[in-house]
Amino acid sequence: MANWQSRQRDVIQQFASLAWNEPLQSSGLWRHDDIRNNLYYASYLVAAASDSALCGELALDPEAATAKAVGVLARIVNLQDKDPASATFGHWPLGLGERPEEARPNPLPAELMGVLIAYFQQRFGSQLPASINQLLDESVEALFRSSYYRAPLTTFGHHEAKYTATKLIFGHRFKDRELLASGRLHLQQTLDRVRTLGMPEYGALPWFWHWIQAFTCAYECVDDDEIRLELAALLDELWRYRATYYLKGAWTGGRMRSLGHDLPRDGNVAFDYVQFGDFSLPSALPRVEYAGLLFYQAPESVRQTALDRALPQVIRRVISPAGDGAKQPIHSCLFVDEGFAMGGIWERVKEFDNEQHRWGIDFPLRQDGGVNRLYVLPPGDGYVGGDPRHAGETGHVLFHRNAIIALYPFTEGAGDMLVGVLPKGEWIPGDNAVYGYVEGVFIALHMLHGFSLDEEHDRIKLTSAGFASGGVVVEAISAKAALRKQLRRLTDFATAMAENKPLWAASEDEPLRVEYTNLDGDRLVMTLGNESQRIVRTVNGSPIVIL
């Protein structure tokens, strides 16, 4: 058994155990929160039932397990709109509520579940009763006839990625040559776009994994050598992108969106675990989808990028938005060293649900369940109940290797607060500063004004409020690199950094300005003038070139 197969088996075991042991509700489903969770549970239970060794390990009766899964699959299919005259023909409800049979259809389940159901039936159909295969056939045919996926290719986003994969799968399955040709054309255009301009959805979770699932399903379902070569080329590019921003289960750098279980702690890690396997599978996964059932092996060069890259490394990238000619490219900068990565996006953009994560320090996934990202932001739209994923519009940044400067000139009506998240570790407070040691990395965090720290179960929360402006300077260094500078302990590091604090200037009569000399002796200066003045960023007296 290959290592990736063993790791997939770990994922199957975890979720099949949940499905086997969790009782069904009166509706005949496990979950009413999201219909897709029922599909995942049923799929993993069928996969486990087909593995005699797993059945023994889980004390699972294969016939009973298959029957339980089949019953849920039948109920899922029965919740699909099968009326060809309906505007929602082929669709399912998303959130099921207390009465699933009365829940309204939503376009999202078909978009993701359609390709998964087609793949699931192709792989496991021979192990299922004829009755459920007939229902699955009817369900896939309703999806095919509904034509929700017959959309133009304009944004090169995750919706269109799934539509393209769907065209390929349905075109092949139903011998629709015109649909298959349309899907192949869009596949070629998508591949060209990713190769030349990259993905417009940078660091977007869970959307990136929807790309991976959709095109891996197509790779497995379409029996055409030329199309499969093109699908393999696209999957290679997707995994190359993932590997570039990978750090032992963590996504590094800026993101256009993350769900609450992916920031400030990476939770959507099952695909990474199967592909790379350089961390332990968490005991609980908030989202798994088909990571244990679908697999495309990334090239060895991609694995080397993820697991054995040359360090330290600076990664710069131009991100080209698609679908809106008025949008300008934005720029990413990331510094990667042993045990951490830091940087982000130079430009503030109000992305989907205002979830752009602009800058921070990333650490490997932690086995203790704690957060693995450090960052500070001004709260903005969507910041409800302390959810630290939604930033305000203000602020400018400077990235220089392992140092970051962020200045926030608050304006009337925009708030006067900065909030932040620190991973748990050893921390020493200073004068408007805090010095820490987290997972083999020393961190110095300096603030323009005072702040408070409150320890929570998985993180340390930072709050700085009531000031006319805000500023942050943060520098990190691995313990190995610090030792070369004769900094052996956190107390040594804290003493050295306290003697080299940033020089701030912030008043009504002068621009917001900070000057900082990092541990390598580089002098960083950032100045924000009034509306008639430009932002000035220099390193050792020379203007910074963003890219």
Side-chain angles (χ1 to χ4, degrees):
M1 182 182 293
N3 288 338
W4 66 264
Q5 290 173 314
S6 176
R7 293 193 292 270
Q8 272 202 320
R9 197 168 179 272
D10 293 340
V11 177
I12 293 171
Q13 182 174 21
Q14 183 176 134
F15 278 84
S17 176
L18 291 173
W20 175 241
N21 291 296
E22 185 173 323
L24 299 175
Q25 299 192 46
S26 59
S27 62
L29 300 167
W30 282 289
R31 306 280 293 276
H32 285 186
D33 53 351
D34 186 323
I35 192 172
R36 295 173 295 187
N37 289 323
N38 295 285
L39 174 67
Y40 305 148
Y41 271 36
S43 302
Y44 282 105
L45 196 52
V46 169
S50 67
D51 184 327
S52 58
L54 263 183
C55 289
E57 293 171 23
L58 297 174
L60 181 153
D61 179 271
E63 292 185 4
T66 300
K68 185 176 185 180
V70 164
V72 172
L73 290 170
R75 284 162 177 78
I76 292 172
V77 171
N78 288 333
L79 289 174
Q80 185 182 27
D81 185 345
K82 300 288 183 50
D83 181 2
S86 170
T88 57
F89 176 47
H91 290 296
W92 284 274
L94 179 61
L96 300 179
E98 294 183 4
R99 298 179 62 83
E101 67 278 6
E102 296 179 2
R104 293 183 178 181
N106 183 294
L108 292 180
E111 186 180 300
L112 180 59
M113 293 200 319
V115 295
L116 299 181
I117 289 173
Y119 167 73
F120 171 80
Q121 187 181 25
Q122 177 172 301
R123 179 172 171 182
F124 295 105
S126 62
Q127 302 169 35
L128 301 175
S131 57
I132 191 63
N133 272 305
Q134 181 178 345
L135 287 176
L136 293 175
D137 285 340
E138 294 171 357
S139 177
V140 174
E141 184 172 357
L143 290 167
F144 168 64
R145 293 171 57 200
S146 74
S147 298
Y148 67 93
Y149 50 87
R150 296 177 186 268
L153 188 61
T154 58
T155 67
F156 293 93
H158 62 290
H159 297 293
E160 292 174 4
K162 287 175 280 187
Y163 297 157
T164 297
T166 302
K167 290 175 183 178
L168 292 170
I169 293 170
F170 290 174
H172 174 74
R173 177 164 175 160
F174 294 99
K175 297 180 173 54
D176 186 326
R177 293 183 179 180
E178 182 178 351
L179 181 61
L180 187 65
S182 174
R184 186 176 184 186
L185 175 61
H186 285 185
L187 169 64
Q188 293 168 340
Q189 292 172 333
T190 301
L191 175 58
D192 180 67
R193 209 284 180 185
V194 170
R195 280 174 167 169
T196 57
L197 296 175
M199 294 180 65
E201 295 175 332
Y202 58 95
L205 299 177
W207 295 343
F208 177 82
W209 297 125
H210 293 174
W211 279 67
I212 292 291
Q213 288 181 110
F215 288 116
T216 305
C217 280
Y219 182 81
E220 293 293 339
C221 291
V222 177
D223 186 16
D224 181 295
D225 290 343
E226 292 183 355
I227 294 176
R228 292 183 87 242
L229 282 173
E230 292 165 348
L231 284 164
L234 178 56
L235 286 165
D236 287 349
E237 291 296 327
L238 295 177
W239 278 110
R240 185 170 291 110
Y241 169 72
R242 173 65 191 113
T244 300
Y245 293 92
Y246 177 80
L247 180 65
K248 294 186 178 179
W251 278 82
T252 61
R255 307 182 190 181
M256 72 174 295
R257 98 163 302 215
S258 292
L259 297 182
H261 54 59
D262 293 314
L263 192 75
R265 179 181 188 271
D266 286 281
N268 198 344
V269 298
F271 286 98
D272 286 331
Y273 174 75
V274 174
Q275 185 71 258
F276 301 121
D278 60 340
F279 61 92
S280 299
L281 183 68
S283 58
L285 291 166
R287 183 180 291 250
V288 69
E289 296 176 357
Y290 260 33
L293 305 175
L294 272 173
F295 181 73
Y296 175 85
Q297 188 159 20
E300 186 57 33
S301 60
V302 169
R303 289 180 51 79
Q304 185 173 356
T305 296
L307 303 176
D308 190 27
R309 73 176 83 208
L311 298 174
Q313 181 182 28
V314 176
I315 302 167
R316 294 184 175 88
R317 178 183 173 222
V318 178
I319 299 164
S320 301
D324 186 345
K327 288 185 177 180
Q328 297 297 315
I330 60 178
H331 303 83
S332 168
C333 180
L334 185 70
F335 175 83
V336 186
D337 205 349
E338 186 174 351
F340 74 100
M342 62 190 297
I345 307 297
W346 285 95
E347 298 88 355
R348 160 66 183 164
V349 181
K350 197 166 187 178
E351 303 281 10
F352 180 83
D353 274 357
N354 190 32
E355 289 181 355
Q356 184 197 40
H357 190 74
R358 193 169 176 191
W359 67 264
I361 305 178
D362 301 285
F363 301 92
L365 187 71
R366 296 176 62 138
Q367 297 306 309
D368 63 3
V371 306
N372 61 298
R373 189 158 174 109
L374 179 153
Y375 59 94
V376 178
L377 56 78
D381 293 344
Y383 185 81
V384 178
D387 181 354
R389 293 180 297 127
H390 309 277
E393 295 295 300
T394 186
H396 301 277
V397 294
L398 183 159
F399 303 130
H400 178 66
R401 293 182 64 81
N402 62 326
I404 297 174
I405 295 175
L407 296 180
Y408 299 100
F410 299 130
T411 57
E412 186 174 352
D416 59 355
M417 175 185 289
L418 292 178
V419 298
V421 172
L422 282 65
K424 286 197 171 184
E426 185 181 356
W427 293 95
I428 298 176
D431 183 14
N432 287 359
V434 63
Y435 311 104
Y437 180 79
V438 176
E439 302 286 310
V441 179
F442 292 116
I443 309 107
L445 175 66
H446 300 274
M447 302 281 288
L448 171 57
H449 299 293
F451 57 90
S452 63
L453 296 176
D454 298 293
E455 187 166 353
E456 300 182 352
H457 75 282
D458 64 345
R459 70 193 71 184
I460 298 172
K461 181 181 177 181
L462 179 150
T463 306
S464 177
F467 304 102
S469 57
V472 183
V473 175
V474 60
E475 184 172 4
I477 185 171
S478 70
K480 184 181 293 186
L483 186 59
R484 293 195 289 267
K485 298 179 182 295
Q486 306 303 310
L487 303 174
R488 293 175 171 80
R489 297 174 295 274
L490 177 56
T491 51
D492 301 332
F493 176 77
T495 298
M497 302 307 280
E499 292 174 353
N500 188 38
K501 295 187 297 184
L503 301 176
W504 303 94
S507 72
E508 295 181 359
D509 302 325
E510 55 185 318
L512 180 57
R513 182 179 186 276
V514 64
E515 177 181 330
Y516 179 68
T517 302
N518 69 6
L519 282 168
D520 291 329
D522 293 331
R523 179 172 170 267
L524 284 57
V525 178
M526 185 173 179
T527 305
L528 303 184
N530 57 36
E531 293 182 1
S532 64
Q533 295 175 305
R534 62 188 179 92
I535 305 164
V536 178
R537 306 179 181 94
T538 63
V539 175
N540 297 327
S542 299
I544 283 185
V545 178
I546 289 179
L547 196 69

